Each structure stands twice: as structure tokens, then as C-alpha cells.
Amino acid sequence: MRDTRESRLLLVLLIAIAFALITVDIRGGEESPVDGARQAAATVFGPVENGVASAVNPVGNAIGAVRDSAARHDRVAALQRENTALKQRLGSDDRNRSRVRELDKMLKAAGAGQYGIKGAQVIAIGAAQGFSWTITIDMGRNDGITRDMTVINGEGLVGRVTTVGPNTATVLLANDPGFTVGTRMEKSDELGFATGQGDRPLSVQLLNGKAKIKKGDRLVTFGSSKDKPFVPGVPVGEVVRVDPSGGDLTRTLSVRPFVGFTKLDLVGVVVEAPRQDPRDTVLPPKSKPTPTPTVTVTVTPSPDGNTELNPNGEADPEAVGAVTGETPAPAVADGRTNGQAGDRLPGGGDARPDGDDPADEQE
């Protein structure tokens, strides 16, 4: 169609008619005069629209799926990241709770012994220069740590500081074969020296070879001069075996340490010694042994109190005598017991045992 004056007038006329119909439809509301025309158009063109939509929608959905696949993939990846972060948070929460319990035990032990401590975290295990049982902590000279300080945790003695750097320090563990500490027995105050044996129990040499020691007795540190390298009263371990003395001047004990050296995390470096020896106050209360259940068997006596039955279910006279403590008298020829009057003999005499004849009595 060419752009002519007539075509322009026709376009303007159609636009004016359209605006007029829209105005009439709006003002008419539900009773609009064009409502019938609208319903007729819907009846005619509705099926056509449905058919076109059925043909076009699959293509449109496919295009939309391709367009949204990238966004959906990003959403799945975001959900996976959130899930991983949540799992890590839950795991870290469990670890934090465990560390809080460990720190609480260590603070209680330090309070019981009046030790001034600085908390540190284990950041490495083992020493680069050898095969010693050592750990590295995240505190050093800048934190006030010096050589030969005692290291503890909530269970007891961990070791002593051997090497100090600006921000880290090396701790020799109490189970190292080169580690030795003076010990004192709980209550008895017997003195000795504990030496590490790696993954085996500590070996303790008591100075008194005749000391009375039993399994389950506990030891604490005796303390050093000027409280270095060991402060007094730190729990060391529990006796698990006592070797026979054999007349030696010393006595050897096997002691299981309280500290688990393979699962260290938080430790405390004693930077201030107690004013007085805490003695045995840092030791935890002894666990009470579980009582062994006992079984009581009650035997119901027979009605007469003495009667016992033989295998045939009849009363056993001999058993009755055994129960009552009486000895049954021997029976004589006529079946009567001794001491009963016998039957008359044909000659007029009584049946008596030998030695009971009246003539013999007269003589």
C-alpha cells in the first residue's frame, strides 16, 4: 500500500473509531454495547489461538529451557556450596564444643593447683631434628614463654619447654625416653623418678625398695628447685604394675600417664608457680568401683526340720540322725534297740546282752 493522502485519512479514521469504541466500552462497564461483539470474536478466534499456541508452545518451552539451564545449574551449584558450608559449620561446632570442654578442664586443674598458665594450641607434632616425642605450640618468646617451663593440660603433666622461638616453642613430652621427672606418691609421699618409654607406660624408680605400693596408686610431680623445669603437684599417672623388689634398694613401677600424648590440642604453659605446694589437690577424685552383684540362695527346710529323703523318696533314718546329732542304737536279735525290755526265754530268763547276767552281778 502506497503512502497517499487517502491512506493517511483512513488510518486516522480507524484510530479515532478505536478510541471511540474503547471509551464506550469503558463507560458501559458490564453492560457495554460492544460486549456481544467481543464474545463473538472470542468464539471465532479462540480455537485458532489454541491451535497456534499448541504448535508454538513446545518450541517456546524448549527455547526457555535452554535459556534457563545455565541459571538452574548455577542455583544447584549454589545449593551444593551452602550444603558443604553447613556441614563444615556443624563439624566445627562439634570441635568447638570439644575444645571448650578441654579448656574448662585445664582451667579447673590450674585453679586447683594455683598455677598461672597461658593457653596455647598444638600446631605441629614431632621435631625436625630427630625422632623425639615433641610438639610445637603457637606461643613463644614474644608471649613470655621461656625454656624449662612446665606444660600441662586438663589431665595432668604434658611435658616441659625445651626450645623457644619468637612465636613458637617446642615441648618435650613426658613419654619421651629422654624425659625424667621427680615424683611423689599420693598419701604415702614415697619419692621416685619417672622416665618416659614412648608408647609404653612410664617407668618409675622408687627410692624406697620396701615401699608398700599397690595397683591404682597415683603420682604427682615433686617439683624442682625454683619451680623449673617442674612445678609441684601436677598429676602424672596411675600405677598399673608393681615389680617385686627382690631385696634391691629401689623398686620399679609401671605407671599409666593421665595424659593421652597422641591427642593433644590445647595445652597450658605454667608461667607462674603456686605459692604453696598443692600436694594432692589437683588429682581428680577416684572413681568408685562398681559393686559386684551377689546371689543369695535360700533352702527351704522340710516340715519336721530334720527329715531328709533318700533317692527313693523315703525318709532316711541315718540322715535324720546325722541332722539331729544323735547316733542310732544298735539293734538286738529281736529287732529292739538296746535299753528296751526283751522277751522271756523259754527257760524263764530275760534276753540280756553278755555280761548282764544277775549271777555275774552278785559275784
Side-chain angles (χ1 to χ4, degrees):
M1 185 178 207
R2 292 184 299 175
D3 186 13
T4 61
R5 184 177 181 182
E6 290 79 6
S7 61
R8 292 178 182 177
L9 291 175
L10 179 60
L11 179 60
V12 172
L13 180 60
L14 291 174
I15 293 174
I17 293 172
F19 276 106
L21 290 175
I22 292 172
T23 304
V24 171
D25 186 33
I26 293 175
R27 290 185 176 182
E30 295 181 357
E31 298 179 356
S32 174
V34 297
D35 189 57
R38 184 185 299 110
Q39 293 180 1
T43 303
V44 174
F45 293 106
V48 178
E49 292 176 351
N50 291 334
V52 174
S54 300
V56 174
N57 282 343
V59 179
N61 292 337
I63 296 174
V66 173
R67 183 179 62 251
D68 296 339
S69 62
R72 190 176 294 110
H73 181 271
D74 294 341
R75 178 59 178 166
V76 171
L79 291 175
Q80 290 177 346
R81 288 194 297 270
E82 291 177 3
N83 190 23
T84 303
L86 181 60
K87 290 181 178 179
Q88 291 177 351
R89 182 178 178 182
L90 291 175
S92 63
D93 288 344
D94 293 339
R95 183 170 180 269
N96 289 336
R97 284 192 291 269
S98 175
R99 297 184 72 186
V100 167
R101 290 193 296 268
E102 188 174 353
L103 180 61
D104 184 62
K105 290 180 63 176
M106 184 170 65
L107 292 177
K108 287 182 179 179
Q114 297 298 308
Y115 307 128
I117 65 171
K118 284 191 175 182
Q121 182 177 354
V122 177
I123 58 176
I125 299 175
Q129 64 269 22
F131 299 95
S132 302
W133 288 77
T134 61
I135 58 173
T136 303
I137 58 176
D138 61 350
M139 299 188 71
R141 190 180 304 110
N142 296 337
D143 303 293
I145 306 302
T146 60
R147 181 184 172 88
D148 286 338
M149 283 186 169
T150 308
V151 182
I152 66 173
N153 69 358
E155 307 294 338
L157 180 66
V158 173
R160 63 181 177 87
V161 177
T162 56
T163 306
V164 182
N167 300 305
T168 60
T170 301
V171 178
L172 183 68
L173 300 180
N175 65 333
D176 185 86
F179 186 97
T180 302
V181 58
T183 61
R184 180 178 56 79
M185 298 297 302
E186 180 186 13
K187 295 182 180 179
S188 68
D189 292 339
E190 294 289 348
L191 302 181
F193 294 95
T195 303
Q197 297 190 110
D199 54 359
R200 294 182 297 164
L202 305 177
S203 176
V204 177
Q205 295 286 335
L206 288 182
L207 301 182
N208 182 5
K210 299 180 180 180
K212 295 181 179 180
I213 306 297
K214 64 181 183 300
K215 183 178 179 182
D217 289 348
R218 303 181 296 181
L219 302 86
V220 297
T221 56
F222 179 70
S224 305
S225 175
K226 298 182 180 180
D227 300 314
K228 283 190 176 184
F230 302 109
V231 294
V234 180
V236 175
E238 182 179 26
V239 176
V240 294
R241 192 180 72 232
V242 180
D243 292 344
S245 60
D248 297 335
L249 297 178
T250 62
R251 195 165 194 180
T252 304
L253 312 176
S254 293
V255 175
R256 181 179 63 245
F258 290 125
V259 174
F261 298 105
T262 60
K263 51 182 180 180
L264 293 172
D265 184 17
L266 297 178
V267 297
V269 182
V270 180
V271 295
E272 183 179 352
R275 295 181 179 179
Q276 295 181 351
D277 187 348
R279 307 292 292 177
D280 304 330
T281 58
V282 188
L283 285 169
K286 278 191 173 182
S287 58
K288 296 182 180 180
T290 304
T292 304
T294 57
V295 179
T296 303
V297 179
T298 304
V299 178
T300 303
S302 56
D304 58 3
N306 296 324
T307 305
E308 294 186 5
L309 302 180
N310 58 23
N312 297 327
E314 300 174 351
D316 189 352
E318 295 181 359
V320 172
V323 173
T324 59
E326 299 177 357
T327 303
V332 294
D334 62 352
R336 297 171 185 257
T337 58
N338 189 18
Q340 293 178 336
D343 293 340
R344 292 283 181 177
L345 295 178
D350 293 335
R352 297 177 181 268
D354 294 338
D356 292 338
D357 192 297
D360 295 338
E361 294 176 359
Q362 292 177 359
E363 295 178 357

